[in-house]
Amino acid sequence: DTGVSQDPRHKITKRGQNVTFRCDPISEHNRLYWYRQTLGQGPEFLTYFQNEAQLEKSRLLSDRFSAERPKGSFSTLEIQRTEQGDSAMYLCASSLDSGIGELFFGEGSRLTVL
Amino acid sequence: KNEVEQSPQNLTAQEGEFITINCSYSVGISALHWLQQHPGGGIVSLFMLSSGKKKHGRLIATINIQEKHSSLHITASHPRDSAVYICAVYMDSNYQLIWGAGTKLIIKP
C-alpha cells in the first residue's frame, strides 16, 4: 500500500494521559499536514511540515500539542495531558512540494478521551 | 461570514438524479479542492482545479474564478455516492486550505 497511513486508527485514553499518533506519508511527498476533525465539522488545520521543517502551526494548537517530522519522512503528533475536548479524528495528509500539490489523506486516528 | 460557503448543507435525492453541490468563496485562491468523506471513513480528493472544468467518471467539477464559485456535479447518482462532499480552497498567500462545512448527500435507492 503506497498511500498515507496512520497509526493507531483508534485510541481511547483517560484524561490526563499522553498520546502519540504516527503518520507515514506517501514516500516522495515533501509536505505533510495534520488536521483535526470533530463530528459534523470540516477539518481544522493544526500544523504543516515541509520536509523536516515545521513551517506553520495553528494558533488553535495549545502547548500540549507537539508535532515532529525528524527525518522528513514520518511524522508524530503528541498530545500531553489530554482533555475531553481533545476527542476528535486526527487526520494526516501529504502532498508533493510543487507549489499547489494535491492532498492525499490517511484514514485518520480517532481519539476518545474519557 | 465564512470564507468558504457550501450549499446545500444537506441533500437527499433518488438514485439516478443529477446532483449539484455549490461552493462560493470570498478570498483570493490558487486552487480549489473537492473532497469526499464517507461516514467514519477517510477523506479522498476528487478534484483539484484552478480553472475551467474537470471530469472523472460520473463526477464533473467546474470553477469560475471571476465569480468565485465552483460546482460539483454527479450524473446518474447512486447510493454509493452517499457521503459528505467538502470544498476547500488554497489561499493565494499561503498553502493553507480553508474548508467549507461540507454537504451531506444521501442517495436513496
Side-chain angles (χ1 to χ4, degrees), chain A residues 31 37 56 101-103 105, chain B residues 37 43 45 90 95-97:
Chain A
R31 293 194 181 143
Q37 186 177 27
E56 211 161 334
E102 187 170 358
L103 283 178
F105 282 85
Chain B
Q37 187 172 32
I43 295 176
S45 175
Y90 281 104
Y95 295 131
Q96 263 200 52
L97 279 176

Side-chain angles (χ1 to χ4, degrees), chain A residues 83-101:
Chain A
E83 300 172 359
Q84 287 186 321
D86 297 331
S87 296
M89 177 75 85
Y90 290 84
L91 296 165
C92 175
S94 69
S95 71
L96 280 170
D97 181 18
S98 58
I100 302 297

Side-chain angles (χ1 to χ4, degrees), chain A residues 8 10-14 19 110-114:
Chain A
H10 195 178
K11 177 75 176 177
I12 301 173
T13 191
K14 292 183 180 178
V19 296
R110 182 171 296 283
L111 173 65
T112 302
V113 181
L114 302 176

Side-chain angles (χ1 to χ4, degrees), chain B residues 12-53:
Chain B
T12 300
Q14 289 297 129
E15 183 174 357
E17 285 189 40
F18 181 81
I19 302 298
T20 296
I21 299 171
N22 295 301
C23 175
S24 296
Y25 52 91
S26 57
V27 294
I29 71 166
S30 302
L32 181 146
H33 254 298
W34 279 103
L35 306 112
Q36 178 194 57
Q37 187 172 32
H38 281 103
I43 295 176
V44 175
S45 175
L46 298 175
F47 296 102
M48 190 175 73
L49 63 168
S50 53
S51 65
K53 176 179 173 178

Side-chain angles (χ1 to χ4, degrees), chain A residues 32-98:
Chain A
L32 187 147
Y33 302 79
W34 284 99
Y35 291 90
R36 177 171 63 190
Q37 186 177 27
T38 52
L39 200 61
Q41 302 295 316
E44 175 184 53
F45 171 78
L46 295 179
T47 190
Y48 147 59
F49 290 86
Q50 183 155 321
N51 299 312
E52 65 274 10
Q54 188 174 19
L55 295 189
E56 211 161 334
K57 186 175 173 180
S58 169
R59 283 170 290 177
L60 299 172
L61 220 56
S62 77
D63 291 342
R64 296 184 298 104
F65 287 72
S66 62
E68 293 184 343
R69 194 182 182 197
K71 296 181 181 178
S73 56
F74 73 92
S75 175
T76 56
L77 176 69
E78 182 183 14
I79 309 173
Q80 297 182 325
R81 305 181 302 282
T82 52
E83 300 172 359
Q84 287 186 321
D86 297 331
S87 296
M89 177 75 85
Y90 290 84
L91 296 165
C92 175
S94 69
S95 71
L96 280 170
D97 181 18
S98 58

